[in-house]
Structure formats: structure tokens, C-alpha cells
Amino acid sequence: MSPDLEIQIIAVIVAVACSLPGVFLVLRKMSMMSDAITHTILLGIVIAFFLTESLTSPLLIVGAAIMGVITVFLTEVLNNTKLVSEDSAIGIVFPLLFSIAIIIISKYAGSVHLDTDSVLLGELAYAPFDRLELFGRDIGPKAIYSMGTILIINLIFIIGFFKELKIVTFDPALATILGFMPSLIHYSLMTLVSVTAVGAFESVGSILVIAFMIGPPITAYLLTDDLKFMIILSALVGAINGVLGYQFAVYFDVSIAGSMAVMTGVVFLLVFVFAPKRGLVTMIRRRKSQRFEFAEKSLLFHVYNHEGDSDERVELGVDTIQNHVNWDKNFLNKIMKTLKEEKKVYIEDGIVKLTKEGRDFAIKSYEEIVSEF
Amino acid sequence: MKKNDYIIKVEDMTVAYSTKPVLWDIDLDIPKGVLMAIVGPNGAGKSTLIKAMLDLIKPVSGKVLFNGESYKEHRKHIGYVPQSESVDWDFPANVLDVVLMGRYGELGWFKRPGKKDKDLAIDALEKVGMKEFADRQISQLSGGQQQRIFLARALVQDADIYFMDEPFKGVDAKTEGAIVELLKELKNRGKTLIVVHHDLQTVPEYFDWVVLLNRQIVKVGPVEEVFTDENLNKTYKSTGQILKR
């Protein structure tokens, strides 16, 4: 395998592994927690390193996972006092734990082979150099296997507890009543986020971990209304971001992790603007057509309410109606033109009148609006 | 149920948020098969009372017994309809998904809902007049429709006891009528219903049992005995709220 391909495979595995718990972080409105966890786990790693004096010990992952859970726990304790809001609580806990890690590292910089730059930004380009050997044979970069394992764990958790994750996220009160223990699911998910982050940031850095955890899920959220599909779609979007980002980095000869994070933002923006149902363009178009439709109806209601009245000539006069609906002249003309084309109104003797279809339509629309509760 | 007339017993329950007591020394016996309203002024602790009975909030003292047993043995038989604004309606799910959640308790851990559960969910949707909305995105529902969905979800639980937190909030007159019909039908099938209610005027028409609550139980019993002007004045006097009755 070429290093080129290996890097992309690693990126895809990391992206998919991150997107799985990421979906639930986004739905639980805990996006910023990923930011905190990806940083504070460093303290767990540093402490575990001092205990084991090894950079390869699996205890490093355990330490990171514990620190991730501690981060969530401390945030919740602060938040539950009602003295501090959740985002402020994150703002206190995260820098505190992260800085302790940084101080320890800088104090023992000489003896610790941990450097803060690589933690924040990672270096995917070096990942292929770190090989895994089995019985003396090279079987590929280590990152593929470590992240692959994490990906499988995440998949098992999400598939196995899909129903539980769904109800706990949507309606924690009902989940509690039915015996599903929301806090157990919650902390399991947070442990998973921590383990995923520690596995991923070694190769891609914590900034990209955040981008991979949050970007694809919110992109998918704009594209679908189905939870299962949202999970599949965010894995797909994550993988695409990884590959596109790598191509971009090679083409412009720039940072790989940086390019992938940028791609995540670009793909999100494209979807945000052009998504078929929830995109900005659709929304603006829909709002415009709704405004138009609404104006048509209200004009019909106005005519319906005043037809045959003694002041009909004033209320519905071709030249005076504008004062009554209080619209811009051009807008009124446009609406009138459409209504005439649709044969809902006609002009007789300088007065706007309803056709039979127009009257039926007005009555029907009114009933629809009233029954729409 | 043998000789035990009371399906739910609340004994000496006090509930506090941080250090501020919200409910004082609640003693409450709820007989089987009543359609009961919990009424009281704003801040009287109506929602808190049902949440504490359901163990969603830990009481400072006291206990709740369902058929003489603790809540945990009974959770499968308890249905809950929360206030509709308590959840995020932009969650990626359709109407059927939400109603199916009512089956999760019966299914337990790991097991997925199957065809039978879906059929039950569709039946429940039909009962609340929302069958044709099964595939509808929940974000597109009106307030009244959301309330009906929650009701359908409680129906598929096929519980013995139903707790409902203001099921008439934000619904139109037609939906309110439909919900009342449903509640009465459940009662006639021997279910016990405990409903947080806001509108004093409709209490005698909708309910047969009532709790007047203002941090403490002011009075509890059959509507025709307990729901008197005198008792209502006692319940609402500390608030200065004007009675529309």
C-alpha cells in the first residue's frame, strides 16, 4: 500500500469513528463537550504516562477515558448548582484540566516525549511511519488497527443500544420511567467519545477530532429527518471530508489535518446553503412563495368580507384598495395579476369582484386555516 | 387488587429544589379507577408532585407506593405524558418512531420493536385520530398534534396508571374534546388517570376526583364534594389570583 492510500484510509476510519458518537453529541446539544473532552484527555494521558512510564501502554487510553468522564462529571456538578450555566461550566473545567496537562508537560519536557503542537494539530503525514508488525511481518500502519478497533467498538455500541440512545436523547424522563437509566447511557457515550478522541488525536490532532465529531453530524442533520439515516449519512460525509481534504492538502501542499477541517467546514456550508429541504436557498424561496400565497389569500378574504357592503366601492375600488391592504403598489399589482390569471377575481365597474372559483377558494382556505390546529 | 382500594399511596412526602421546599408533607391516597385532576395556582407544585411520584425528582422525605409496592416493580404499568415542550421536536424522527417509544418498556433492553409493536402503534394513532400522520416528521406537527402523539405513545404502553402533565395545554377545542373522550374511555376500562390541569371551569365536567394543591394538599376527594368555592378560595388565597368561576 502506498503511504498516500494509507493516510486516506486512516482518515476515513477516524472520520467515521468520530461521526458515530458525534451524532448523539449534536442531538444532545453537547457539541462543545467534544471540544472540552478532546483537550482534557491530555491530562489523563499525561498522568497515565507518569504511572506507566510508557507511551504505548493501553493504560493511556484508560487514563484518557477516565479524564473524559471526569470532565463531563465536573461540568454537570457545576451546572447542577444552578450558579453556573453549562457553557460557562465547560469554560472553567476544560482550560483548568488542559492547562494542568500543559504545565506538567512543559515542566518535564525533556523527559516526556509528548509535544503540545502535535497534540493540537496531529500529523497524519507521519502515521504511515508507525508500523505494526505481526510475527516479524509488517502488516500496515498501527493507526489503521487502533482506530479500526475503536470504530468497531463504536459501531457495536451504536447498533446495540440504538433504541436506548434514541429514547434517552429524545425524552429522558420517559426513558427513566421505562427503566433505561439515562445517566448510564450518557456516561457510556461520554466514555466512548473520550476513547475515540484519544485514539484519533494521536494521528489527526484534537482540532480535527472536533471537526470530525461535529461537522458531519450537523451536515447530515440538515439533509435527513431519520435518525438511522442521519448516522449513515454523517459517516459518509465524514469519509468524503477526509478524502477531499487529503486531495486538497496534496494539491496545494498544505497541512493535511488543516485541509480536512477546512473541507468539513466547506461541505457543511454547501449543504447549509443548498440542502433540498432545510437549506438556506430553499428556505428563502419557500418563505417568498409563502408570503405570496398568503397575500393572495388575504386579498381574497378582504374581497370576500366586503363584497356587497355599502362601502364596497371604497374598500374594493381598483384605485382605493391599496389604502386598505396597505401594500407596496408593485406587490399589489403582482398579486392582482396572478389572481386575475387564475380567474379568482375580475374587475367590474372599477370594483374588484370574486368569481365563483375565487369565492369557493376563499371559503375553503379559511376553513383550512381554522382547522389547522 | 383484593381489599386494597387505593392504588397509589403517597406518605409524608416533602420535595425541595436545592434547599427550597416545593411540596410539604404530602399525604395522598388515590383510589383505583378515578379520573383525577391536580389543580392549584402557578407554582403550587403540581408538576413537581407527579414527577416526584414517578421518581423523576428525589423527594427529601416520604415514599410512594403503587399497589403497596415500590415504583420500580410497577414501572411497566405506568404511562406518562409529559408537557409537550419538554422535548426537542426537531429531533430526527417521525410520528410512528415517537409512538413506538411507548413500547420500549415492554421490550426491555436490546430488543427492537417488531411488526406487532408497529401494529399497536398504528392502532393507538388511529384512536387519537392521527393515523394518516404516521410518516409525518415530528417537526411539522402543531401543538395539538404533538399532544395527541404523546397520548398515543402513552396508549401503546397499555399502562394501568397514567400520569399526564397538562395534556390540554396549547390545544384547540376540538382536540381538547377528543382527549377528554379518550381519558373517559380509559377510565371506563378501569385505568387510573392523574392529570395536572389548569382550567378550573372544566374540572367538574371532565373529572370525578380532584386534588387541590398549594404546596400542601388543601383537599382531596370526589369532585362534587371537594370542589367547592370555599375550598378553592383556600387553595388560591395566598396567591391573590383571581378566580374565574
Side-chain angles (χ1 to χ4, degrees):
Chain A
M1 246 192 290
S2 68
D4 236 18
L5 189 59
E6 281 174 356
I7 291 175
Q8 291 182 67
I9 290 174
I10 295 170
V12 167
I13 294 175
V14 171
V16 174
C18 287
S19 73
L20 294 176
V23 166
F24 291 95
L25 283 178
V26 166
L27 290 176
R28 300 170 74 82
K29 309 202 182 337
M30 295 183 69
S31 301
M32 286 319 287
M33 197 58 95
S34 71
D35 194 4
I37 289 177
T38 48
H39 287 82
T40 56
I41 50 171
L42 186 61
L43 182 56
I45 294 173
V46 170
I47 293 171
F49 172 75
F50 277 103
L51 293 176
T52 61
E53 299 195 344
S54 148
L55 262 177
T56 49
S57 162
L59 275 181
L60 261 55
I61 291 189
V62 176
I66 293 173
M67 197 50 70
V69 170
I70 289 177
T71 308
V72 177
F73 178 73
L74 288 179
T75 310
E76 279 172 7
V77 167
L78 272 181
N79 185 33
N80 286 345
T81 60
K82 304 258 189 286
L83 298 171
V84 185
S85 70
E86 188 174 358
D87 55 343
S88 318
I90 291 177
I92 293 293
V93 173
F94 147 35
L96 175 69
L97 299 181
F98 182 57
S99 316
I100 294 174
I102 298 291
I103 289 172
I104 296 176
I105 293 174
S106 62
K107 175 85 179 156
Y108 300 97
S111 56
V112 185
H113 181 68
L114 267 174
D115 111 62
T116 42
D117 282 350
S118 79
V119 164
L120 282 177
L121 294 170
E123 198 36 91
L124 209 47
Y126 299 150
F129 296 133
D130 195 3
R131 316 294 295 184
L132 192 68
E133 285 186 7
L134 196 65
F135 306 119
R137 261 186 60 207
D138 175 31
I139 54 165
K142 223 167 81 187
I144 289 187
Y145 294 93
S146 61
M147 276 319 290
T149 311
I150 291 172
L151 170 61
I152 289 166
I153 294 172
N154 286 356
L155 264 177
I156 291 173
F157 181 78
I158 303 279
I159 294 172
F161 293 97
F162 181 73
K163 166 175 125 254
E164 287 76 10
L165 282 163
K166 189 174 180 178
I167 189 168
V168 162
T169 305
F170 177 67
D171 193 344
L174 183 73
T176 310
I177 289 168
L178 297 178
F180 287 114
M181 293 186 271
S183 51
L184 181 70
I185 302 265
H186 177 63
Y187 277 101
S188 309
L189 183 68
M190 293 306 141
T191 307
L192 226 54
V193 169
S194 311
V195 171
T196 310
V198 69
F201 89 164
E202 211 185 335
S203 37
V204 302
S206 55
I207 302 294
L208 189 53
V209 174
I210 302 166
F212 275 159
M213 275 192 183
I214 307 305
I218 52 168
T219 309
Y221 182 73
L222 294 174
L223 288 170
T224 175
D225 293 325
D226 181 88
L227 180 56
K228 243 180 235 162
F229 205 55
M230 178 176 167
I231 294 171
I232 296 168
L233 210 58
S234 53
L236 211 68
V237 171
I240 291 170
N241 291 343
V243 174
L244 278 182
Y246 182 73
Q247 300 300 337
F248 183 88
V250 170
Y251 191 81
F252 291 100
D253 193 19
V254 289
S255 148
I256 298 175
S259 306
M260 289 180 181
V262 167
M263 271 309 147
T264 305
V266 169
V267 169
F268 168 75
L269 273 178
L270 284 176
V271 170
F272 179 72
V273 174
F274 297 110
K277 259 158 91 185
R278 293 192 181 153
L280 207 58
V281 172
T282 316
M283 225 123 94
I284 291 170
R285 203 176 287 157
R286 190 185 301 147
R287 224 166 269 165
K288 218 171 149 187
S289 85
Q290 266 170 355
R291 198 176 84 123
F292 207 78
E293 196 184 311
F294 183 69
E296 271 185 49
K297 281 182 188 168
S298 37
L299 193 67
L300 284 177
F301 293 162
H302 178 70
V303 180
Y304 179 73
N305 281 335
H306 291 284
E307 62 179 357
D309 282 5
S310 51
D311 55 354
E312 187 183 29
R313 184 158 294 280
V314 189
E315 290 279 354
L316 306 179
V318 177
D319 302 318
T320 50
I321 194 166
Q322 195 204 346
N323 298 331
H324 292 272
V325 289
N326 201 14
W327 288 338
D328 175 74
K329 184 101 193 148
N330 288 330
F331 186 67
L332 176 67
N333 288 342
K334 226 158 67 187
I335 301 286
M336 281 300 269
K337 191 165 159 261
T338 321
L339 284 175
K340 272 191 266 180
E341 275 166 13
E342 289 173 352
K343 298 217 179 344
K344 290 193 176 105
V345 297
Y346 63 101
I347 313 264
E348 193 184 81
D349 189 20
I351 296 174
V352 183
K353 302 234 161 159
L354 288 172
T355 63
K356 184 175 179 309
E357 287 112 85
R359 191 171 299 112
D360 291 347
F361 182 77
I363 295 168
K364 204 179 109 230
S365 317
Y366 184 73
E367 275 169 359
E368 263 168 23
I369 290 169
V370 172
S371 67
E372 227 174 52
F373 286 103
Chain B
M1 193 127 329
K2 292 171 214 158
K3 283 181 193 160
N4 194 353
D5 290 337
Y6 294 106
I7 193 165
I8 306 171
K9 248 178 155 26
V10 180
E11 290 174 1
D12 311 312
M13 191 169 71
T14 294
V15 184
Y17 285 129
S18 39
T19 55
K20 213 171 128 211
V22 183
L23 290 171
W24 280 105
D25 194 34
I26 302 289
D27 282 296
L28 182 59
D29 291 329
I30 302 171
K32 188 180 168 19
V34 293
L35 174 46
M36 185 181 92
I38 301 176
V39 290
N42 291 330
K46 302 185 290 288
S47 290
T48 306
L49 177 59
I50 64 171
K51 282 183 186 149
M53 287 168 79
L54 289 168
D55 214 23
L56 293 174
I57 302 171
K58 294 267 170 283
V60 179
S61 67
K63 61 181 169 189
V64 183
L65 295 173
F66 292 84
N67 284 346
E69 294 170 292
S70 92
Y71 158 81
K72 285 205 173 67
E73 271 108 319
H74 259 269
R75 61 168 37 129
K76 266 193 193 170
H77 308 289
I78 296 170
Y80 178 47
V81 179
Q83 292 199 15
S84 55
E85 61 261 42
S86 69
V87 304
D88 174 15
W89 290 94
D90 285 325
F91 189 84
N94 64 23
V95 165
L96 190 66
D97 284 333
V98 172
V99 177
L100 271 174
M101 287 181 192
R103 297 291 303 157
Y104 285 11
E106 191 67 35
L107 289 166
W109 291 79
F110 304 114
K111 236 176 121 190
R112 300 287 174 86
K115 169 120 191 2
K116 187 187 134 213
D117 303 297
K118 281 191 182 136
D119 290 345
L120 286 168
I122 297 279
D123 284 351
L125 277 173
E126 191 160 23
K127 274 196 193 117
V128 298
M130 295 278 293
K131 194 180 168 190
E132 60 276 29
F133 288 82
D135 297 324
R136 184 71 70 91
Q137 203 44 49
I138 56 169
S139 58
Q140 296 165 9
L141 300 175
S142 69
Q145 290 168 338
Q146 293 174 351
Q147 205 64 61
R148 286 174 190 231
I149 297 307
F150 267 178
L151 219 58
R153 189 177 71 175
L155 287 179
V156 294
Q157 274 187 265
D158 195 29
D160 297 328
I161 308 164
Y162 287 96
F163 288 86
M164 305 188 177
D165 202 344
E166 303 212 26
F168 304 115
K169 198 173 183 182
V171 308
D172 60 305
K174 206 173 110 201
T175 302
E176 178 155 339
I179 294 177
V180 171
E181 281 312 303
L182 208 67
L183 299 190
K184 289 188 170 163
E185 190 202 317
L186 285 170
K187 179 197 137 62
N188 290 338
R189 277 165 48 199
K191 314 282 187 187
T192 307
L193 298 104
I194 297 148
V195 181
V196 172
H197 192 56
H198 228 94
D199 181 12
L200 289 176
Q201 291 180 26
T202 52
V203 169
E205 187 189 335
Y206 294 173
F207 300 94
D208 60 0
W209 209 264
V210 66
V211 173
L212 298 174
L213 185 77
N214 192 354
R215 306 260 168 151
Q216 285 178 301
I217 302 272
V218 177
K219 213 79 185 181
V220 56
V223 171
E224 61 267 27
E225 280 174 34
V226 171
F227 201 67
T228 60
D229 285 345
E230 193 199 341
N231 286 336
L232 281 170
N233 279 326
K234 252 193 232 162
T235 314
Y236 284 79
K237 82 178 166 205
S238 62
T239 65
Q241 234 169 295
I242 297 160
L243 283 183
K244 281 190 248 142
R245 213 170 96 93

